[in-house]
Amino acid sequence: MTASPQPVEPFDLVIFGGTGDLAVRKLLPALYHRYADGQIPDTSRVIGIAREMLDDDGYRAHARKALLENGGDKSKVDDFLKLLHYRSLDARKDEGWDAFAALMSEQPGHVRVFYLSTSPDLFVDICNRLGEHGLNQGKARVVLEKPIGRDLASANQINDDVGRVFDESQTYRIDHYLGKETVQNLLALRFGNVLFEPLWNAEHIDHVQITVAETLGVGQRVAYYDHAGALRDMVQNHILQLLCMVAMEPPSSLSPDAVRDEKLKVLRSLKPIDESNAAQLTVRGQYRAGAAEGQSVAGYLDELKDHKSHTESFVALKAEIANWRWAGVPFYLRTGKRLPERVSEIVVVFKPVPHSIFDASAGPLAQNRLVLRLQPDENIKLWVTIKHPGPGGLRLRHVSLDMSFAEAFGVQQPDAYERLILDVVRGNPTLFMRRDEVEAAWRWADPILAAWAESGEAPRPYTAGTWGPSAAVALIERDGRTWNEDSD
Ligand code: BG6
């Protein structure tokens, strides 16, 4: 029997950017699901803040539509909507802030979560306003959405400025990849079993691949994206966090600092990639017109309506971790927009058997692989070699020991935001990035960005609906390896 999820204490969650895409598509549905599951007390409040002139009813109507389209149950949605409020505020104007502070003071005992789902250039203005009204006191927490800056210097500036209002212990830098079920499962698999840890090192692991592929293009987000690019948008945060979860030493406990100390050591051990080796170790791409899910789609530059941008919509690179456990084990990382399928996975490829006792007639001996699929259809597969059943000589087959979560547990997987928002309410920052982690990740990413800028070269074109530039295939094939292709 699985226990029902425990309710959290009553809270006020304030979403700055409350009418934005993230709030409507992810945050409100996440809160609704936890409410429907009985985890959110009825006295809690969710307060949307944006510049649009709306009232509580207008906001509820907006949310209702999105939640029902998302498969919400009508009567539960209507109950949930009673928690919702709305205030129109501009972080750069005085108007409305006193009334907002008065609204907050109606529930002085509540945990207060300020979720900044806005452009990062508003983070500091909003935090200053909150500080001026004393809203940073007591059980107050601030959640910062990525990107935290666009390089080390700008990240430091944001962290310094936010840090003048909120302590590090009140600051939750969210990376929603850490809330994904498979990432939690990686912890359970590595540290809840004895089978893997003895093999989890350079002696037995040949290489690791991390792929986050998306079929979508940049679409409406092109203005933001063109200032970011795939390295800043995906690699510096999500993919490096996944790499850390694979590569970190066993923490002494699951306490926030024990886990984050170990991740930090991995980030600090990444071998530098700079102008001396970026051309060999990295590949940048930008999609051209092509097809996605059977439809013809425009190229990146057409979406941008500017034909000069060098922003990459695809990156593949070979990273290495300079420590005893991982010396010489490549971590091939790749991510891109407008790729042929939406798939995120971590593939741990073990070394070949040292000596084969089988005849050539038995067929080739494939390497063991552990494939952790984050999406879609979260699951873990361990590929092993067995004998083909029945007579006819000893023939070898490579099969997967399969752990499909939805089938095994008959439950719908919660969205990453469901877990992470409640972790903020509970005051558990284990799955959030500490300031020094963000800094270490930028310290590694900055020289790559500098090397690309210095080279002046445009990213390599790839047709939408393909796996990126052919140089990304060459990056791994040069080493006698291939990208994982088992999609079943
Ligand atoms: C966001 C990026 O952080 O993650 C987006 O800014 C990307 O560009 C998204 O599409 C991917 O998230 P998920 O959960 O859909 O894989």
Side-chain angles (χ1 to χ4, degrees):
M1 266 275 292
T2 32
S4 327
Q6 291 289 312
V8 293
E9 64 176 295
F11 60 88
D12 284 351
L13 176 87
V14 183
I15 308 176
F16 288 89
T19 53
D21 183 61
L22 183 76
V24 175
R25 226 169 27 85
K26 291 286 185 184
L27 306 181
L28 292 175
L31 287 160
Y32 162 73
H33 285 300
R34 291 302 91 223
Y35 176 80
D37 241 9
Q39 271 191 290
I40 299 186
D42 281 318
T43 52
S44 300
R45 299 184 297 177
V46 176
I47 303 162
I49 305 276
R51 278 183 307 188
E52 281 103 306
M53 295 308 286
L54 276 180
D55 58 11
D56 289 352
D57 287 342
Y59 192 53
R60 287 177 186 151
H62 192 57
R64 187 170 195 273
K65 185 165 174 289
L67 294 172
L68 292 179
E69 279 169 9
N70 217 299
D73 170 272
K74 202 161 162 299
S75 83
K76 282 187 185 153
V77 166
D78 286 335
D79 285 343
F80 171 70
L81 293 177
K82 293 180 195 143
L83 273 48
L84 260 55
H85 301 264
Y86 182 84
R87 291 295 180 271
S88 167
L89 280 182
D90 184 333
R92 294 188 171 138
K93 292 189 185 145
D94 294 337
E95 218 179 322
W97 283 90
D98 288 339
F100 169 65
L103 175 72
M104 296 304 291
S105 67
E106 287 171 13
Q107 296 287 7
H110 276 191
V111 167
R112 288 171 176 169
V113 178
F114 300 103
Y115 197 119
L116 309 196
S117 166
T118 63
S119 148
D121 35 289
L122 289 174
F123 286 180
V124 175
D125 289 312
I126 296 172
C127 288
N128 287 342
R129 297 274 177 192
L130 294 172
E132 282 160 21
H133 289 86
L135 294 170
N136 53 345
Q137 305 299 319
K139 292 190 276 182
R141 283 144 212 174
V142 67
V143 182
L144 307 180
E145 260 295 337
K146 64 161 266 286
I148 311 282
R150 58 188 323 276
D151 52 21
L152 179 61
S154 52
N156 278 343
Q157 188 67 53
I158 292 174
N159 284 326
D160 285 348
D161 291 344
V162 170
R164 275 190 272 279
V165 181
F166 290 97
D167 276 356
E168 181 62 24
S169 63
Q170 295 176 290
T171 307
Y172 288 69
R173 296 177 193 82
I174 197 162
D175 186 312
H176 76 280
Y177 266 61
L178 290 180
K180 292 191 188 265
E181 192 73 10
T182 307
V183 178
Q184 313 289 296
N185 241 311
L186 181 56
L187 285 178
L189 196 79
R190 284 193 62 195
F191 307 124
N193 297 288
V194 291
L195 294 182
F196 296 103
E197 208 43 34
L199 303 179
W200 211 256
N201 53 49
E203 202 180 328
H204 299 287
I205 292 181
D206 179 74
H207 73 281
V208 176
Q209 302 180 14
I210 302 179
T211 293
V212 178
E214 298 183 274
T215 51
L216 293 177
V218 289
Q220 302 298 319
R221 296 172 72 228
V222 70
Y224 148 74
Y225 195 88
D226 200 54
H227 280 97
L231 193 85
R232 291 189 178 95
D233 186 50
M234 297 296 291
V235 180
Q236 186 270 347
N237 34 75
H238 302 324
I239 294 188
L240 284 190
Q241 287 292 320
L242 296 180
L243 177 144
C244 287
M245 298 302 260
V246 174
M248 70 181 180
E249 293 300 313
S252 60
S253 73
L254 268 190
S255 74
D257 282 337
V259 173
R260 298 188 298 178
D261 287 348
E262 295 308 335
K263 288 198 291 160
L264 179 64
K265 286 184 208 158
V266 174
L267 292 168
R268 287 185 174 162
S269 310
L270 283 167
K271 271 198 184 171
I273 301 180
D274 53 26
E275 79 272 12
S276 68
N277 54 7
Q280 291 81 51
L281 300 179
T282 69
V283 174
R284 278 184 307 153
Q286 192 185 65
Y287 60 84
R288 297 287 179 261
E293 286 156 358
Q295 307 283 322
S296 49
V297 293
Y300 180 85
L301 296 175
D302 305 320
E303 285 179 315
L304 184 66
K305 298 187 178 54
D306 175 348
H307 288 265
K308 288 191 293 287
S309 170
H310 280 188
T311 300
E312 77 288 355
S313 60
F314 174 96
V315 60
L317 61 85
K318 179 177 166 182
E320 271 189 67
I321 301 167
N323 65 19
W324 274 45
R325 187 187 282 265
W326 295 112
V329 178
F331 282 69
Y332 299 98
L333 316 179
R334 97 184 139 154
T335 184
K337 305 274 184 202
R338 288 283 186 234
L339 300 186
E341 52 181 311
R342 176 172 183 258
V343 57
S344 299
E345 64 183 19
I346 300 169
V347 184
V348 179
V349 182
F350 292 87
K351 293 238 160 115
V353 293
H355 163 72
S356 175
I357 61 167
F358 304 101
D359 290 342
S361 62
L365 259 177
Q367 288 164 250
N368 293 120
R369 254 176 309 143
L370 179 68
V371 181
L372 299 119
R373 173 71 67 96
L374 281 75
Q375 56 199 26
D377 312 325
E378 310 192 280
N379 63 44
I380 300 179
K381 285 183 181 173
L382 179 63
W383 289 82
V384 295
T385 300
I386 59 154
K387 175 194 166 296
H388 188 85
L394 204 163
R395 287 163 297 140
L396 301 174
R397 269 183 64 179
H398 206 48
V399 296
S400 63
L401 304 179
D402 191 341
M403 181 71 190
S404 167
F405 303 146
E407 263 171 44
F409 297 107
V411 289
Q412 203 202 337
Q413 295 307 320
D415 185 78
Y417 282 98
E418 296 180 36
R419 166 178 291 111
L420 295 175
I421 292 173
L422 292 202
D423 276 356
V424 182
V425 174
R426 290 187 197 100
N428 180 355
T430 306
L431 296 175
F432 294 80
M433 289 183 291
R434 214 167 49 190
R435 175 176 179 156
D436 47 11
E437 286 181 80
V438 175
E439 288 174 8
W442 279 123
R443 227 172 244 119
W444 176 79
D446 275 1
I448 303 177
L449 293 162
W452 289 346
E454 185 63 27
S455 81
E457 283 168 23
R460 294 163 195 264
Y462 63 97
T463 305
T466 65
W467 281 106
S470 53
V473 176
L475 176 82
I476 189 165
E477 292 197 345
R478 266 204 302 274
D479 296 344
R481 303 176 173 114
T482 52
W483 292 108
N484 187 51
E485 272 173 5
D486 299 302
S487 55
D488 58 330

